[in-house]
């Protein structure tokens, strides 16, 4: 194992983003905030409640810097912070820091927007406790920002969920509903400019491009395992190194890193839930398989190889074909002479021949 990280060394580079810097940028170096408001394009404060009102929409705030940030992001399309790992954008430094900590488990240098520290779960917990200013009154959860405490309280202790108005989808995160509707109901896709891959979000498109076209790998800090995708590394750690985490089925040996996957597993395997095709007699316990069935059988979607006449019903099959037939990729067993053209075949071989499964 790697030596534990000294949490005191984890810092985020400062960025000047206060009101003074905004004045300098716009040529109001020696101007007071009240004078700036009168000279800028902002509407004058409402004397009754001292509200600053946006001149392009109904947004209002009591603080001028918030109005500046609102105008930049909502009307000018300018975001001060952009995440290189996904499509997240922020106007405020603390929101960007919080995103990189919670989503990517990393410390980001604001000055150059580059990852400087990758944290393990334990290191992240220690860091969050160190910077925490607020503690939940119902449990030991601690956070730096009031909004995090409020969200924690609502989702964990009050059971608040946000629902899709077109299906049964529910989530703890309000923003996930919008992404779900765009992906599932509106069919919005993000296409790779180097292959036929398409993703439901820009985040997963970037992950694909890094993995498949830039050769990025995510290394385990406890063994030599390397993953093509962050989710695969997370699953590896749960299955191989941390038996206490993850979600396990009490009716069989199934285990997953995502609670929603456990729910789907129980419905399909133990509760007999079926999804039926409206055009034929096909049934499956998995909604994504029904979608795949409709695309392949009833919509005739195919993925074509650009080097031969091969065509596949799944993009993954096309990728496997290219690797095996045109790039000579082989996956070798480290315990015998067996080799395969697909990772899944190698895993099946290892389980059946060497692990007795």
């Amino acid at each position: 194992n790697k030596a534990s990280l000294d949490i005191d060394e984890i810092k985020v580079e400062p960025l000047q983003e206060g009101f003074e810097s905004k004045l300098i940028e716009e040529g109001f170096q020696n101007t007071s905030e009240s004078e700036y408001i009168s000279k800028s394009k902002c509407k004058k404060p409402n004397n009754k409640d001292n509200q600053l009102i946006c001149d392009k929409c109904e947004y209002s705030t009591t603080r001028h810097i918030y109005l500046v940030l609102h105008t930049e992001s909502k009307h000018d399309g300018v975001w001060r912070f952009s995440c290189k790992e996904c499509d997240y954008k922020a106007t405020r430094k603390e929101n960007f820091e919080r995103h990189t900590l919670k989503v990517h488990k990393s410390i980001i240098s604001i000055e150059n927007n580059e990852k400087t520290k990758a944290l393990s779960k334990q290191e992240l917990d220690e860091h969050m406790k160190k910077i925490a200013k607020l503690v939940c009154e119902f449990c030991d959860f601690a956070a730096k920002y009031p909004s995090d405490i409020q969200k924690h309280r609502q989702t964990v202790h009050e059971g608040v969920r946000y629902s899709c108005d077109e299906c049964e989808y529910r989530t703890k995160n309000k923003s996930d509903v919008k992404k779900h509707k765009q992906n599932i109901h509106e069919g919005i896709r993000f296409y790779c400019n180097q292959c036929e891959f398409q993703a439901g979000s820009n985040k997963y498109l970037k992950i694909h491009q890094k993995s498949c076209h830039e050769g990025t790998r995510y290394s385990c800090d406890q063994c030599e395992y390397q993953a093509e995708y962050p989710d695969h590394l997370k699953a590896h750690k749960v299955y191989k190194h941390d038996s206490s985490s993850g979600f396990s089925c009490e009716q069989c040996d199934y285990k997953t890193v995502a609670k929603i996957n456990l729910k789907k597993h129980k419905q399909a395997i133990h509760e007999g839930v079926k999804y039926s095709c409206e055009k034929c007699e096909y049934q499956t316990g998995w909604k994504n398989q029904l979608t795949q069935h409709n695309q392949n059988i009833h919509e005739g979607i195919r993925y074509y190889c650009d080097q031969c006449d091969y065509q596949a019903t799944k993009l993954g099959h096309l990728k496997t074909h290219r690797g095996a037939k045109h790039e000579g990729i082989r996956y070798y067993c480290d315990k015998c002479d067996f080799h395969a053209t697909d990772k899944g075949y190698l895993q099946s071989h290892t389980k059946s021949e060497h692990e007795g499964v």
Side-chain angles (χ1 to χ4, degrees), residues 23-74:
L23 296 178
I24 294 173
E25 289 176 11
E26 300 190 6
F28 294 103
Q29 290 93 328
N30 299 315
T31 306
S32 67
E33 184 170 359
S34 60
E35 291 174 327
Y36 173 81
I37 294 171
S38 64
K39 293 180 181 179
S40 67
K41 297 179 180 180
C42 307
K43 291 182 181 179
K44 294 182 179 180
N46 184 319
N47 292 331
K48 184 177 179 180
D49 52 13
N50 200 33
Q51 291 285 311
L52 290 167
I53 305 172
C54 176
D55 63 348
K56 298 179 181 178
C57 69
E58 298 179 355
Y59 175 83
S60 64
T61 178
T62 58
R63 296 192 61 186
H64 174 263
I65 187 61
Y66 291 163
L67 182 58
V68 171
L69 295 175
H70 161 81
T71 303
E72 287 181 351
S73 61
K74 298 301 181 182

Side-chain angles (χ1 to χ4, degrees), residues 148-293:
D148 286 343
I149 289 289
Q150 182 181 7
K151 182 179 179 181
H152 162 80
R153 187 188 304 117
Q154 290 177 339
T155 57
V156 175
H157 301 297
E158 299 174 10
V160 172
R161 296 294 183 271
Y162 300 95
S163 302
C164 174
D165 56 7
E166 299 183 45
C167 69
E168 298 178 355
Y169 176 81
R170 299 177 75 218
T171 177
K172 295 179 181 180
N173 302 308
K174 190 174 182 179
S175 60
D176 288 345
V177 176
K178 181 180 179 181
K179 295 176 183 177
H180 159 82
K181 295 182 74 171
Q182 290 177 338
N183 187 11
I184 303 300
H185 302 298
E186 299 173 15
I188 295 177
R189 313 302 292 172
F190 296 82
Y191 296 90
C192 179
N193 58 7
Q194 300 181 59
C195 69
E196 294 87 353
F197 178 83
Q198 53 180 283
S201 71
N202 197 35
K203 170 186 175 181
Y204 291 110
L205 175 60
K206 286 185 177 181
I207 291 175
H208 158 79
Q209 291 174 332
K210 287 185 176 183
S211 172
C212 296
H213 303 301
E214 299 175 15
T216 299
R217 292 296 180 268
Y218 302 88
S219 301
C220 178
D221 58 359
Q222 300 181 57
C223 68
E224 297 179 356
Y225 174 81
Q226 289 188 326
E228 293 183 357
Y229 301 98
D231 289 346
H232 292 179
L233 177 59
K234 182 178 179 181
H236 162 80
K237 287 187 174 183
V238 169
Y239 298 138
K240 297 296 183 181
H241 304 299
D242 189 0
S243 59
S244 62
S245 61
F247 301 90
S248 300
C249 178
E250 65 272 13
Q251 301 180 59
C252 67
D253 295 333
Y254 177 80
K255 187 175 182 180
T256 178
V257 296
K259 191 174 183 179
I260 186 62
N261 290 342
L262 178 60
K263 180 181 179 180
K264 292 178 180 178
H265 161 81
K266 288 183 176 180
Q267 290 177 338
I269 304 301
H270 303 300
E271 299 173 11
V273 173
K274 297 295 181 183
Y275 297 94
S276 301
C277 178
E278 297 178 351
K279 300 178 181 179
C280 68
E281 298 179 355
Y282 176 81
Q283 283 188 328
T284 177
W286 309 92
K287 188 179 288 188
N288 63 322
Q289 290 184 357
L290 177 60
T291 301
Q292 190 75 51
H293 162 82

